[in-house]
Amino acid sequence: MSAVRPPAILLYTRTTDYRHASIPDGIAAFRELGAEQGFTVDATERPDVFEGDGLAPYDAVVFLSTSGDVLTPRGREGLRAHCAAGGGFMGVHAAACTEYDWPFYGELLGGRFAGHPALQPGTVVVEDRDHPATRHLGATWDLTDEWYDFRSCPRGTVRVLASADESTYEGGGMGSCHPLVRAHQHGGAQVFYTALGHTSEAYGDPDFRAHLLGGLRHVMPRHAEGPPAGA
């Protein structure tokens, strides 16, 4: 009898626009989580991986601070097919600044980036703690990040897990409806997105790593249970 293979994710970090200096730290964090939790992490910037059957080995695809147009037309077809087959999708931070001309991707992610004020401390309001990405947090979460604004408020079409308290920083542009972390289903996929993760320091923070791991557990149902990050 063949052994059951461990869950596997494809971590995609290609950029054709702004490139975050924290990407190597994010890759290291995902690889360390994989080693701790028993899943495989393959990091790449090759768009041809999305073509044909290239996504077949993966339970989920993670876009980590991608930017601009990062997929070929055939790669778009491959990602759509991955979702239709029940594969998971997770976006981190600048994943919302990606594939602006592809409507399916905007719907998959649940929102499009509009802008952000200067990097500064602020407070996240944790609205839903009944989720693996937020259950380790308290009612609020203080951190330094780029507080992304989005083109519209997706509340009502996605499960909002956490939002920005614009009274705690300067330059917020969405008012009382400012979701930062959300989960939903689209195109057959379980989807998770967090707008957090601009700084290199974030990826060494135990709370942020547990947040990422919870997102992975959402998009990889067969890895939904397991020890917390760092256990």
Side-chain angles (χ1 to χ4, degrees):
M1 180 181 296
S2 61
V4 176
R5 69 169 178 82
I9 69 167
L10 180 71
L11 185 62
Y12 195 49
T13 57
R14 187 182 184 207
T15 58
T16 60
D17 200 339
Y18 182 83
R19 186 169 183 86
H20 280 75
S22 60
I23 286 175
D25 304 280
I27 293 171
F30 275 96
R31 284 177 168 161
E32 289 168 14
L33 286 172
E36 293 169 3
Q37 304 295 321
F39 57 86
T40 300
V41 178
D42 291 337
T44 188
E45 299 203 354
R46 290 175 44 200
D48 61 312
V49 174
F50 289 80
E51 299 176 4
D53 296 326
L55 296 182
Y58 299 106
D59 296 88
V61 172
V62 179
F63 276 31
L64 171 63
S65 284
T66 50
S67 68
D69 292 331
V70 297
L71 297 172
T72 65
R74 289 187 61 209
R76 288 180 173 184
E77 293 173 7
L79 181 58
R80 189 193 294 267
H82 165 82
C83 295
F89 181 83
M90 176 170 165
V92 179
H93 196 54
C97 310
T98 301
E99 294 290 327
Y100 280 112
D101 295 329
W102 187 24
F104 175 83
Y105 182 82
E107 295 163 2
L108 178 68
L109 203 65
R112 296 283 195 184
F113 171 79
H116 65 77
L119 179 72
Q120 61 190 299
T123 298
V124 175
V125 177
V126 182
E127 298 188 25
D128 183 344
R129 297 183 65 231
D130 189 24
H131 188 277
T134 50
R135 66 169 56 115
H136 65 290
L137 299 170
T140 59
W141 186 15
D142 296 325
L143 70 164
T144 296
D145 215 303
E146 288 180 332
W147 302 94
Y148 275 15
D149 290 332
F150 298 92
R151 294 180 180 180
S152 61
C153 178
R155 193 181 298 277
T157 61
V158 299
R159 179 181 175 183
V160 175
L161 304 177
S163 57
D165 181 351
E166 291 190 358
S167 71
T168 64
Y169 66 92
E170 297 293 329
M174 295 187 70
S176 61
C177 184
H178 195 154
L180 293 174
V181 184
R182 53 187 180 258
H184 70 138
Q185 290 182 309
H186 185 75
Q190 293 284 352
V191 181
F192 175 86
Y193 172 74
T194 179
L196 306 172
H198 173 77
T199 68
S200 293
E201 292 77 11
Y203 295 94
D205 183 299
D207 281 341
F208 189 66
R209 286 195 175 204
H211 180 61
L212 295 175
L213 179 61
L216 288 173
R217 287 178 173 162
H218 178 88
V219 302
M220 294 196 300
R222 74 187 184 98
H223 195 63
E225 300 302 326

